[in-house]
Amino acid sequence: MKLKKIIIDGFKSFGRPVSINISENITAIVGPNGSGKSNVVDAIRWVFGEHSYKNLRTVKKNDILFSGSNGTSASNRAYVKLIFEDDGKEIDVSREMLRDGKNIYMLNGEVVRLKDLMDFFAGTGAGKEFYSIIAQGQIDKIVNATPEELRKLIEEAA
Amino acid sequence: MKLKKIIIDGFKSFGRPVSINISENITAIVGPNGSGKSNVVDAIRWVFGEHSYKNLRTVKKNDILFSGSNGTSASNRAYVKLIFEDDGKEIDVSREMLRDGKNIYMLNGEVVRLKDLMDFFAGTGAGKEFYSIIAQGQIDKIVNATPEELRKLIEEAA
Amino acid sequence: AKKVFLETFNSVNSNFSEMIEELFEGAKGEMRLLPEKDVLETGIEISIKKVGKKEQNLYLLSGGEKSLVGIALLFSLLKINPSPFYILDEVDAALDDYNAERLGRLIKRYSDKTQFIVVTHNKLVMENADILHGITMTNGISTIVPVELEKVADDKPLEVTT
Amino acid sequence: AKKVFLETFNSVNSNFSEMIEELFEGAKGEMRLLPEKDVLETGIEISIKKVGKKEQNLYLLSGGEKSLVGIALLFSLLKINPSPFYILDEVDAALDDYNAERLGRLIKRYSDKTQFIVVTHNKLVMENADILHGITMTNGISTIVPVELEKVADDKPLEVTT
Ligand SMILES: Nc1ncnc2c1ncn2[C@@H]1O[C@H](COP(=O)(O)OP(=O)(O)OP(=O)(O)O)[C@@H](O)[C@H]1O
Ligand SMILES: Nc1ncnc2c1ncn2[C@@H]1O[C@H](COP(=O)(O)OP(=O)(O)OP(=O)(O)O)[C@@H](O)[C@H]1O
Ligand SMILES: [Mg+2]
Ligand SMILES: [Mg+2]
């Protein structure tokens, strides 16, 4: 299963839709401080159902929605879609949130519950907290993990 | 008042005495990960009377003393001296700690109390926590300061 | 369950010592099961012994060394059970040039097993990528711009502009 | 006491807005006294408004932007009442090349007012120094070695060896 593309619209600083192609091997995302690189990482965590304000670096629920800028009004919906390819078949996963706080998860065009999404990905290991997404400033915190937390990591890998 | 030289012996990873010349303007300290750069910063904090384990990045009291390596036994004393120049006169400030935990502060060759040292420096602003020593990883934490902490900073500058 | 856990633990441990030896040039890294209660419940401890030194508390390691331990653990788990993709957001921030280059080579070596998305400011790391996306903020909105690595001169700051 | 505090506050605040304007290219930075009780007790709040955006919570700033706010505050206080020396331990770790260069220039600009000791891995920052000390660990002991910046080629990792 390979991630092919990420589509983001109205999520955090993405006031206009963007589409990011992902290489089968290594994709680098570069750019000035504050340009929106870590917001892309947050967008991917968000699609996998992340709801913790701390992990999404937000303070209130609507911080997820683009807050507006000169000439572009604030967004009323945040939308992120991941496009995968598995044995030649395309698989789309997306999450959408409206200003009223309602979340809609979709798998290949059909509305599903978050639980269905997690079941779908369970076998693949994607989205598992530790060993697939390392947030900015976290890599050196692993040495502070407790013996129980380290054990949990090994169990996840088993 | 200018800092001219730093002498370190037996403090943390400095198993042999080193002497570091300091420029009147900008001195850069460079080198591989884990070579001892931040230990120099800790040494300067320590001379000014720093006693917090957390700020000195130690766990127990004797972590200050060089713990030994192949061919060099552990040190029994940690010694750091700062040499300043003020209007052509040299001023030496030092701190020494023995394995039994005894601390000796000296100002121009005479044993003094820490309080005398702090009085000596009070007028100069040196050693004041925030705005003269920024430890590794701290510069981006200032945005998390509480309104009271920010007020204290301004008062120190007044 | 006990057998599976012990097998996994042993292979993570041997990967971990290999990784530490490579990243810390000769140091010894080890994961130990705490001697407490039952193997199915006990915690795990990491120990690092640098060249020429006795074993030290992880607390004494430097900023960059702590990142290297995290990287070693990440790749030890990846070798056993790779996730379909990995996202690394400036994991090289505390590393010196040597270790940044080593990290770049490590990512390249495992990129045939899994996909990497790497956010970085360091040219030594980004030069391993096959696709490079620039992100810039214009008028308060993030946009994506193409970036050609060849055009990035080593001694000039990276230009990412529309 | 009240008068002295207000005078200091106002000059730090005007320095701070100048610094933010310079470091965030046109953004507006401001320090505000909380409207609570007596001026001698109330706390202080920082607000940043990036170009093209409304005022946002500091929490939403990026890693590098938070470092820039810290740097702006440091130099705002330095301008009022410089300490005899400043030690900056890898304050550039989260910065992109542009901001690292800007930081180097800022340190150079104020180095006639006070002394700076800067620990860094970034050549764009270390090239401003008049004295460069290399530290390396041999056989478990830290030693000091001379480093010539001219010898440091831009596209190679920095060599610090005995
Ligand atoms: N809801 C939102 N609406 C508009 N802009 C937002 C929103 N949330 C965050 N931002 C903007 O995103 C910026 C931070 O982006 P991000 O953290 O992705 O930067 P970055 O590219 O990772 O930078 P660095 O290299 O410093 O880590 C902030 O400056 C903020 O203005
Ligand atoms: N008491 C001690 N005796 C011997 N060695 C020590 C002692 N305390 C710390 N060390 C060593 O010092 C090293 C860390 O040094 P330091 O934190 O100064 O590195 P650094 O040069 O700042 O690296 P980085 O660039 O990664 O921040 C550790 O690896 C540890 O082995
Ligand atoms: Mg970031
Ligand atoms: Mg350090």
Side-chain angles (χ1 to χ4, degrees):
Chain A
M1 173 140 113
K2 294 253 178 255
L3 177 63
K4 305 290 285 183
K5 195 182 274 188
I6 306 169
I7 293 173
I8 309 175
D9 185 12
F11 179 88
K12 285 201 164 190
S13 55
F14 294 94
R16 286 209 202 96
V18 299
S19 157
I20 306 173
N21 292 327
I22 302 297
S23 150
E24 293 209 350
N25 300 313
I26 307 172
T27 307
I29 297 179
V30 301
N33 288 130
S35 56
K37 300 183 297 296
S38 296
N39 290 344
V40 172
V41 178
D42 294 340
I44 298 172
R45 263 178 201 276
W46 187 67
V47 172
F48 283 110
E50 179 69 73
H51 56 280
S52 137
Y53 283 7
K54 186 165 172 285
N55 285 347
L56 290 169
R57 304 182 303 144
T58 54
V59 195
K60 52 184 197 307
K61 209 177 177 62
N62 282 349
D63 283 341
I64 292 286
L65 295 164
F66 174 67
S67 63
S69 73
N70 282 357
T72 313
S73 53
S75 298
N76 287 323
R77 76 160 199 163
Y79 175 75
V80 177
K81 177 158 121 177
L82 303 183
I83 300 172
F84 291 92
E85 197 183 283
D86 198 3
D87 284 344
K89 264 192 4 268
E90 186 177 292
I91 302 167
D92 298 351
V93 169
S94 72
R95 177 175 178 179
E96 184 177 1
M97 185 179 102
L98 306 173
R99 239 180 220 285
D100 63 0
K102 198 158 155 277
N103 274 303
I104 307 163
Y105 291 94
M106 293 176 84
L107 180 59
N108 292 327
E110 267 173 59
V111 178
V112 294
R113 292 167 310 163
L114 174 58
K115 189 174 157 4
D116 303 330
L117 221 61
M118 298 322 275
D119 288 348
F120 174 74
F121 278 104
T124 63
K128 262 213 213 97
E129 206 35 61
F130 171 66
Y131 69 103
S132 63
I133 301 177
I134 308 272
Q136 192 168 357
Q138 292 310 312
I139 191 68
D140 57 352
K141 303 277 180 290
I142 296 166
V143 288
N144 309 335
T146 65
E148 287 64 40
E149 285 167 349
L150 283 177
R151 185 199 169 85
K152 214 181 118 255
L153 280 183
I154 306 291
E155 284 174 343
E156 261 189 10
Chain B
M1 181 147 101
K2 292 258 177 248
L3 177 62
K4 305 292 282 181
K5 195 179 273 191
I6 305 170
I7 294 175
I8 308 174
D9 185 11
F11 179 89
K12 285 202 165 191
S13 55
F14 295 94
R16 286 208 204 95
V18 300
S19 158
I20 305 173
N21 291 331
I22 302 297
S23 150
E24 294 215 344
N25 299 315
I26 306 173
T27 308
I29 298 179
V30 301
N33 289 130
S35 55
K37 301 183 297 295
S38 296
N39 290 343
V40 173
V41 178
D42 294 340
I44 297 172
R45 259 179 204 275
W46 187 66
V47 171
F48 283 112
E50 179 68 71
H51 55 281
S52 138
Y53 283 8
K54 181 163 178 290
N55 285 347
L56 291 169
R57 303 181 303 142
T58 55
V59 196
K60 49 181 199 302
K61 209 178 176 66
N62 283 349
D63 283 341
I64 291 289
L65 297 165
F66 173 67
S67 62
S69 73
N70 281 355
T72 313
S73 53
S75 300
N76 288 319
R77 78 159 200 164
Y79 175 74
V80 176
K81 179 158 116 177
L82 303 183
I83 301 173
F84 292 91
E85 196 183 283
D86 197 1
D87 283 343
K89 263 193 4 269
E90 187 176 293
I91 301 166
D92 296 354
V93 170
S94 71
R95 179 176 178 178
E96 184 177 0
M97 186 180 104
L98 307 174
R99 245 187 213 276
D100 62 2
K102 196 156 160 282
N103 274 303
I104 306 162
Y105 292 93
M106 293 177 83
L107 179 58
N108 293 328
E110 267 175 57
V111 179
V112 294
R113 294 168 312 162
L114 173 60
K115 187 171 155 16
D116 303 330
L117 219 63
M118 296 322 275
D119 290 348
F120 175 74
F121 279 105
T124 64
K128 265 221 211 86
E129 207 36 61
F130 168 66
Y131 68 100
S132 60
I133 301 178
I134 307 270
Q136 191 167 359
Q138 292 311 316
I139 192 68
D140 58 353
K141 302 276 179 289
I142 297 167
V143 289
N144 310 333
T146 64
E148 287 64 43
E149 285 167 355
L150 282 176
R151 180 194 177 86
K152 216 183 114 246
L153 282 184
I154 309 292
E155 283 172 348
E156 264 189 4
Chain C
K2 199 163 159 169
K3 203 159 157 292
V4 169
F5 174 75
L6 274 179
E7 255 166 48
T8 311
F9 173 75
N10 288 331
S11 40
V12 174
N13 188 12
S14 81
N15 290 346
F16 185 70
S17 339
E18 246 173 63
M19 276 294 158
I20 291 292
E21 175 128 16
E22 178 182 343
L23 291 173
F24 280 76
E25 291 186 357
K28 301 255 175 298
E30 193 191 351
M31 301 176 88
R32 288 195 287 245
L33 288 170
L34 294 182
E36 287 153 22
K37 33 189 188 328
D38 170 12
V39 155
L40 281 178
E41 272 167 33
T42 166
I44 294 171
E45 206 174 54
I46 292 178
S47 112
I48 307 274
K49 197 163 132 349
K50 282 172 67 169
V51 173
K53 277 190 186 293
K54 308 194 302 260
E55 198 179 300
Q56 274 184 334
N57 188 311
L58 289 188
Y59 201 76
L60 294 179
L61 290 178
S62 78
E65 291 177 320
K66 286 182 179 170
S67 297
L68 291 177
V69 172
I71 290 165
L73 191 60
L74 177 89
F75 282 97
S76 307
L77 292 165
L78 187 162
K79 278 168 88 169
I80 303 212
N81 179 359
S83 166
F85 60 85
Y86 286 80
I87 303 173
L88 310 178
D89 192 350
E90 300 195 28
V91 297
D92 56 349
L95 299 184
D96 60 43
D97 285 348
Y98 263 108
N99 286 321
E101 254 193 351
R102 254 199 275 256
L103 171 69
R105 283 200 301 275
L106 204 57
I107 292 173
K108 197 144 186 82
R109 199 190 311 159
Y110 289 101
S111 64
D112 57 344
K113 276 191 152 186
T114 175
Q115 290 172 284
F116 286 97
I117 299 172
V118 182
V119 176
T120 179
H121 294 297
N122 193 326
K123 295 192 191 98
L124 297 167
V125 174
M126 65 176 83
E127 59 191 17
N128 294 288
D130 354 275
I131 296 184
L132 208 70
H133 292 291
I135 289 195
T136 172
M137 194 175 269
T138 346
N139 265 340
I141 295 182
S142 294
T143 53
I144 309 278
V145 290
V147 175
E148 314 243 331
L149 198 63
E150 299 71 58
K151 292 230 188 76
V152 178
D154 287 307
D155 54 351
K156 293 204 188 27
L158 178 73
E159 293 265 358
V160 177
T161 44
T162 16
Chain D
K2 197 163 164 170
K3 204 159 157 295
V4 170
F5 174 75
L6 274 178
E7 256 164 43
T8 312
F9 173 76
N10 287 332
S11 37
V12 174
N13 188 14
S14 80
N15 289 344
F16 185 69
S17 338
E18 251 173 61
M19 277 292 156
I20 290 292
E21 175 125 26
E22 179 183 341
L23 291 174
F24 281 77
E25 293 187 352
K28 300 249 176 306
E30 194 193 350
M31 301 176 88
R32 287 195 290 248
L33 288 169
L34 295 183
E36 285 147 30
K37 29 186 191 323
D38 171 8
V39 160
L40 283 179
E41 276 167 32
T42 170
I44 294 170
E45 206 176 52
I46 293 178
S47 109
I48 308 274
K49 197 167 130 1
K50 283 173 62 169
V51 171
K53 279 192 183 295
K54 305 194 301 265
E55 196 179 302
Q56 273 183 337
N57 189 311
L58 289 190
Y59 201 76
L60 293 179
L61 290 179
S62 78
E65 290 176 324
K66 287 181 179 168
S67 297
L68 291 176
V69 172
I71 291 166
L73 192 58
L74 177 93
F75 282 97
S76 308
L77 292 166
L78 186 163
K79 278 168 88 169
I80 309 244
N81 178 0
S83 168
F85 60 85
Y86 286 80
I87 304 175
L88 309 178
D89 192 350
E90 300 196 30
V91 297
D92 57 345
L95 299 185
D96 60 40
D97 284 350
Y98 263 111
N99 286 320
E101 245 185 8
R102 249 199 280 257
L103 171 69
R105 283 202 300 275
L106 205 58
I107 292 173
K108 200 155 185 78
R109 199 192 309 159
Y110 289 102
S111 64
D112 58 341
K113 273 193 159 183
T114 176
Q115 290 172 285
F116 286 96
I117 301 172
V118 183
V119 176
T120 178
H121 294 297
N122 193 327
K123 295 189 193 104
L124 296 166
V125 174
M126 65 176 84
E127 62 190 12
N128 294 290
D130 343 83
I131 298 184
L132 207 70
H133 292 291
I135 291 194
T136 174
M137 196 177 267
T138 343
N139 264 343
I141 296 182
S142 292
T143 54
I144 310 280
V145 293
V147 174
E148 313 253 326
L149 195 61
E150 299 72 61
K151 297 231 183 70
V152 178
D154 285 307
D155 53 349
K156 299 209 184 8
L158 179 75
E159 293 266 358
V160 176
T161 45
T162 20

